Amino acid sequence: MQLRSPLLYLLLCLVLAGLIHIVAVLALPGLAPKNAWARLVPLGPANTMIQIPPLGPGNEVMPMMAPDVRYAFCRFDLAQGPVRLKGAVPNDLWMIAFYTPEGENFYTVPGADIRSAQLDLVIATGEQTVAEAGVDAPEGADELFVIKSPVREGVAIVRAPLAGPSRAARAEDALKATICSPLKS
């Protein structure tokens, strides 16, 4: 019986250490002082498209951003109604991804899925309908994408990968022309 006690204590210590590890790993994202949302909020107001300057050593807005990609984002707030995101999508490599403030991706639109060179999205909550807002697809547009957001606040990030260094100016101009604004009926 004496041999059994040390093994039991060792097993209990291992189980306790495993539980502490799991709790620490799950709690860490919530305790991080500089998550993506906290880094993007000071860069500009909600419902406005903000272009992130080209990346270089020491001036990354968020870690792990690719230097051969140009970025723009819209921190949307749906409290006053739906928000419209419009712009040009020069090639199939572009991507628009939608995130909650906690960093959960709830929708992604790859450039290859957009049938025309013009992007027209409406972001709305489940309670807000596009018909109530009086939105019609613009003339000449194949379709209007309606993104149902599970949260009232979030961020839409537009990624424009460069097909080569000479295409940086074209991508930056397309990002500057992208608009994020409250939907007007």
Side-chain angles (χ1 to χ4, degrees):
M1 188 105 179
Q2 290 177 352
L3 186 60
R4 214 168 163 197
S5 276
L7 289 176
L8 182 62
Y9 287 129
L10 180 63
L11 182 62
L12 286 175
C13 287
L14 287 174
V15 169
L16 183 61
L19 289 174
I20 290 172
H21 174 72
I22 290 170
V23 168
V25 167
L26 293 176
L28 195 57
L31 300 174
K34 287 295 237 176
N35 63 12
W37 184 258
R39 291 172 187 237
L40 294 176
V41 166
L43 297 180
N47 301 334
T48 303
M49 186 58 71
I50 299 166
Q51 188 171 354
I52 297 174
L55 303 175
N59 72 345
E60 295 176 336
V61 175
M62 292 181 288
M64 307 299 286
M65 294 178 80
D68 62 340
V69 175
R70 297 298 181 258
Y71 298 90
F73 74 94
C74 172
R75 191 172 52 84
F76 60 85
D77 184 356
L78 304 175
Q80 302 301 318
V83 171
R84 189 172 228 163
L85 184 68
K86 292 175 74 172
V89 180
N91 64 46
D92 290 351
L93 300 175
W94 281 48
M95 183 175 72
I96 298 98
F98 298 87
Y99 298 91
T100 66
E102 293 78 29
E104 297 173 19
N105 176 248
F106 64 86
Y107 199 83
T108 301
V109 181
D113 287 355
I114 301 171
R115 294 188 187 137
S116 72
Q118 293 299 314
L119 168 73
D120 198 2
L121 299 169
V122 174
I123 309 162
T125 62
E127 302 89 42
Q128 300 166 334
T129 63
V130 176
E132 287 174 358
V135 178
D136 292 322
E139 290 183 28
D142 287 337
E143 62 185 76
L144 176 74
F145 287 99
V146 178
I147 311 300
K148 292 294 185 179
S149 174
V151 292
R152 289 211 179 272
E153 287 186 307
V155 65
I157 297 180
V158 181
R159 294 183 78 240
L162 304 179
S166 63
R167 308 231 173 136
R170 182 176 178 215
E172 289 171 9
D173 290 343
L175 286 174
K176 284 178 188 171
T178 305
I179 298 167
C180 177
S181 61
L183 183 66
K184 295 177 177 92
S185 23

